[in-house]
């Protein structure tokens, strides 16, 4: 521990005296360590440049929020980048396969059109996040403080918000589609058509960037001059609009409640209604079997069609449940951050942020495996895509006949 009057402290004294006189420093901090002086200098410089709000920094942190920090993030963040890159690369490949298989002629229908739109959104999210995860792995302090890296971080925050909102809209659309098919079959033929499905996908891709406008205004790039390094440092922080206006409130209600919590509640209700309708249909089928067996040819085909519909519904329910499981924790943490303020965001949401990101990446990467395991038609189409059957010769040649070709 060293005194502020020692000769080794002269460079620090010159910097600190730009904010506080030497006499005040000596009286307040008679014994100041090198680390403490560096911290104080950084904070004072940030406050002077307007990059830190002293009132927000002085906000009391409730002790109960500290229980969120269990030391997990310190050990996990060392491997987060590597796990994210692996999942993003694998998920990008599987979503390309989803787009190829689901757009084959024999696979085109209204439900698969929505799943294709979901695969495109997941693909864009995974590709962009892979570059962020790569910078997370090989990032150095100089790169993190650069202007170009701040621009990339700002783009990353906005792009992931837009693509994630698209995925949420399409997942809710898929749940509504399946609810109509199972619970309101008389409306299915003219409501859940292929043109309507294409329009629903288009609306999701158009409206999501518009819903993300408050997120664009929430953050901006801030410049801070570091006298020790004699260079300007850049970082992403809340914009002046967010600090001095109602934008944070609007952002909280739109992002945490309308885009996060409300879809989870709606999805939960739709899943429960679909499961209930499937249970009722199963009981009705069992009662019909007890009453007698069908004799007509059309009636004999009916159980097979019902079985295919049931398998498809189970597969889609698995997709919806997986989305709900990965989305609900993030929605709850976002809601609590808005209720309890900055202290909860720093000590809880920020602590589990990488885990929430990893869950979202897994959700966007595993749909291909769900389709392959639970859909016979998807498996068959995928196998034909890998090993197409030889073309059939429907016009056999007459023996001795010659065939001419033109290039």
């Amino acid at each position: 521990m060293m005194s502020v009057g020692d000769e080794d402290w002269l460079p620090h004294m010159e910097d600190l005296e730009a904010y506080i006189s030497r006499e005040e420093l000596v009286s307040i901090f008679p014994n100041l360590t090198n680390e403490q002086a560096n911290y104080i200098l950084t904070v004072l410089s940030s406050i002077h440049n307007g990059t830190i709000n002293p009132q927000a920094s002085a906000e009391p942190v409730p002790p109960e929020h500290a229980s969120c920090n269990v030391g997990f993030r310190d050990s996990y963040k060392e491997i987060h980048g590597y796990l994210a890159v692996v999942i993003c690369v694998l998920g990008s490949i599987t979503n390309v396969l989803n787009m190829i298989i689901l757009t084959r002629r024999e696979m085109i229908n209204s439900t698969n059109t929505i799943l294709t739109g979901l695969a495109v959104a997941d693909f864009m999210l995974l590709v962009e996040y892979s570059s962020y995860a790569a910078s997370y792995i090989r990032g150095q302090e100089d790169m993190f403080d650069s202007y170009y890296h701040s621009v990339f971080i700002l783009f990353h925050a906005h792009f992931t918000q837009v693509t994630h909102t698209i995925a949420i809209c399409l997942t809710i659309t898929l749940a509504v589609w399946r609810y109509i098919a199972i619970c309101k079959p008389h409306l299915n033929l003219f409501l859940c058509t292929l043109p309507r499905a294409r329009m629903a996908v288009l609306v999701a891709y158009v409206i999501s960037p518009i819903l993300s406008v408050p997120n664009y205004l929430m953050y901006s790039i801030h410049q801070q001059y570091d006298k020790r390094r004699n260079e300007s440092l850049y970082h992403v922080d809340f914009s002046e609009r967010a600090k001095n206006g109602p934008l944070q409130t609007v952002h909280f209600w739109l992002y945490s409640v309308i885009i996060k919590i409300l879809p989870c509640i709606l999805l939960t209700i739709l899943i429960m209604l679909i499961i209930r309708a499937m249970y009722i249909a199963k009981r009705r089928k069992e009662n019909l079997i007890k009453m007698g067996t069908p004799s007509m040819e059309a009636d004999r085909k009916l159980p097979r069609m019902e079985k295919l519909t049931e398998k498809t519904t189970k597969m889609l329910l698995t997709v919806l449940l997986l989305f709900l499981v990965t989305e609900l924790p993030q929605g709850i943490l976002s809601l609590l951050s808005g209720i309890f303020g900055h202290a909860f965001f720093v000590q809880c949401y920020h602590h589990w942020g990488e885990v929430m990101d990893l869950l979202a990446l897994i959700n966007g990467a595993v749909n291909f495996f769900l389709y392959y395991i639970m859909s016979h038609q998807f498996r068959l189409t995928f196998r034909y895509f890998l090993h197409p059957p030889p073309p059939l010769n429907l016009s056999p040649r007459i023996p001795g006949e010659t065939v001419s070709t033109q290039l």
Side-chain angles (χ1 to χ4, degrees):
M1 187 171 293
M2 303 179 62
S3 170
V4 292
D6 292 337
E7 294 182 357
D8 292 341
W9 271 101
L10 289 178
H12 294 284
M13 289 297 297
E14 293 176 0
D15 292 334
L16 290 171
E17 282 180 334
Y19 308 99
I20 305 176
S21 66
R22 181 183 294 263
E23 291 76 12
E24 291 177 330
L25 281 172
V26 174
S27 63
I28 298 174
F29 306 110
N31 294 294
L32 200 63
T33 64
N34 186 31
E35 292 78 9
Q36 290 171 340
N38 286 334
Y39 175 76
I40 294 172
L41 182 61
T42 302
V43 172
L44 290 174
S45 177
S46 300
I47 294 175
H48 178 73
N49 291 318
T51 57
I52 293 181
N53 187 345
Q55 296 180 353
S57 300
E59 182 180 349
V61 180
E64 61 269 16
H65 294 167
S67 61
C68 294
N69 189 350
V70 295
F72 172 78
R73 183 172 185 260
D74 295 335
S75 57
Y76 171 72
K77 68 180 182 180
E78 300 296 331
I79 63 173
H80 171 73
Y82 298 97
L83 289 176
V85 168
V86 172
I87 294 173
C88 288
V89 172
L90 179 62
S92 300
I93 296 174
T94 57
N95 277 289
V96 170
L97 292 175
N98 286 339
M99 288 183 275
I100 294 174
I101 302 304
L102 294 173
T103 53
R104 306 286 285 185
R105 180 178 300 179
E106 62 273 19
M107 293 290 289
I108 294 178
N109 56 49
S110 60
T111 299
N112 288 346
T113 298
I114 300 174
L115 293 178
T116 303
L118 183 61
V120 173
D122 288 337
F123 173 78
M124 292 191 299
L125 174 64
L126 292 168
V127 169
E128 195 280 332
Y129 199 96
S130 64
S131 58
Y132 170 76
S135 69
Y136 192 96
I137 294 173
R138 62 183 179 84
Q140 299 177 356
E141 184 179 357
D142 293 340
M143 184 187 73
F144 285 146
D145 293 331
S146 67
Y147 176 78
Y148 295 106
H149 185 263
S150 297
V151 172
F152 171 71
I153 292 298
L154 198 61
F155 170 78
H156 168 73
H158 297 333
F159 187 82
T160 52
Q161 173 64 33
V162 171
T163 53
H164 196 61
T165 303
I166 293 172
I168 292 174
C169 293
L170 293 179
T171 302
I172 295 299
T173 303
L174 182 65
V176 172
W177 234 250
R178 208 60 204 170
Y179 167 77
I180 295 175
I182 299 299
C183 302
K184 307 289 183 181
H186 58 285
L187 301 176
N188 186 47
L189 291 178
F190 64 92
L191 283 182
C192 301
T193 60
L194 183 59
R196 291 180 185 272
R198 291 171 176 167
M199 181 59 64
V201 173
L202 179 62
V203 169
Y205 275 83
V206 171
I207 198 174
S208 294
I210 299 175
L211 291 176
S212 302
V213 167
N215 195 64
Y216 307 152
L217 304 176
M218 275 291 294
Y219 305 100
S220 62
I221 299 175
H222 296 263
Q223 181 181 2
Q224 173 185 346
Y225 183 75
D226 191 343
K227 292 184 178 180
R228 290 170 296 167
R229 298 168 59 176
N230 194 27
E231 61 180 346
S232 295
L233 307 180
Y234 300 88
H235 66 280
V236 177
D237 202 346
F238 289 116
S239 63
E240 293 301 323
R241 300 185 189 92
K243 294 178 181 178
N244 303 321
L247 183 59
Q248 286 197 35
T249 303
V250 174
H251 182 267
F252 162 70
W253 284 103
L254 181 63
Y255 179 74
S256 301
V257 178
I258 297 179
I259 297 181
K260 289 289 184 180
I261 295 296
L262 190 60
C264 290
I265 295 175
L266 181 59
L267 196 58
T268 302
I269 295 173
L270 290 173
I271 289 174
M272 293 175 62
L273 291 175
I274 293 173
I275 294 176
R276 179 177 178 271
M278 292 179 63
Y279 175 77
I280 294 175
K282 184 177 180 180
R283 293 294 300 272
R284 184 184 297 115
K285 180 180 177 181
E286 292 175 352
N287 293 333
L288 290 175
I289 292 176
K290 292 179 181 179
M291 293 173 60
T293 56
S295 57
M296 296 179 63
E297 182 67 24
D299 292 335
R300 284 197 291 267
K301 294 182 180 179
L302 187 60
R304 181 177 178 273
M305 296 301 297
E306 290 180 350
K307 191 174 182 179
L308 290 175
T309 302
E310 183 178 351
K311 287 183 177 180
T312 302
T313 302
K314 288 181 178 179
M315 181 195 73
L316 297 178
L317 279 176
T318 304
V319 174
L320 298 177
L321 284 170
L322 178 63
F323 183 87
L324 183 62
V325 169
T326 56
E327 191 69 21
L328 187 58
Q330 186 175 1
I332 294 175
L333 287 178
S334 299
L335 180 63
L336 294 178
S337 297
I339 295 175
F340 293 112
H342 182 72
F344 185 90
F345 177 81
V346 171
Q347 290 208 352
C348 290
Y349 188 96
H350 186 66
H351 181 72
W352 296 98
E354 288 90 353
V355 177
M356 297 297 103
D357 287 350
L358 194 71
L359 290 178
L361 296 178
I362 292 174
N363 176 62
V366 301
N367 284 340
F368 170 82
F369 302 102
L370 296 178
Y371 303 157
Y372 189 86
I373 294 173
M374 305 186 70
S375 174
H376 173 73
Q377 187 179 10
F378 188 90
R379 286 196 303 271
L380 193 62
T381 306
F382 179 66
R383 291 170 184 172
Y384 281 170
F385 170 72
L386 293 180
H387 304 287
L392 296 177
N393 188 1
L394 300 179
S395 55
R397 289 184 295 141
I398 301 175
E401 181 182 7
T402 58
V403 179
S404 61
T405 60
Q406 292 182 349
L407 297 180

